[in-house]
């Protein structure tokens, strides 16, 4: 919802990161989305590592 409000109010989203160096350009991304992705990836990794019948500490 915050991104929608920024788009309507400012015409762009402030929390997108966009890096340029000489002719090199990294695609724009949203830092919050990076943390959500990492959290989901860690959750999936932890579930894959968990073996049925074993006790977690």
């Amino acid at each position: 919802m915050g991104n929608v409000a920024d788009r309507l109010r400012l015409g762009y989203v402030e929390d997108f990161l966009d890096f340029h160096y000489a002719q090199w350009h990294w695609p724009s991304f949203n830092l919050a989305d990076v943390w959500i992705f990492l959290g989901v990836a860690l959750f999936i990794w932890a579930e894959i590592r968990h073996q049925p019948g074993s006790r977690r500490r």
Side-chain angles (χ1 to χ4, degrees):
M1 290 305 294
N3 287 351
V4 172
D6 282 347
R7 283 259 185 235
L8 294 173
R9 185 172 52 98
L10 303 171
Y12 60 93
V13 177
E14 289 185 345
D15 61 345
F16 277 94
L17 302 176
D18 194 16
F19 295 103
H20 296 270
Y21 178 74
Q23 298 297 325
W24 179 79
H25 176 245
W26 185 263
S28 299
F29 63 95
N30 181 314
L31 199 53
D33 292 339
V34 171
W35 293 116
I36 292 169
F37 173 81
L38 287 175
V40 170
L42 287 172
F43 176 77
I44 292 170
W45 180 64
E47 288 300 314
I48 290 171
R49 287 193 50 205
H50 175 68
Q51 296 176 3
S54 67
R55 295 195 309 184
R56 292 186 182 180
R57 294 180 183 216

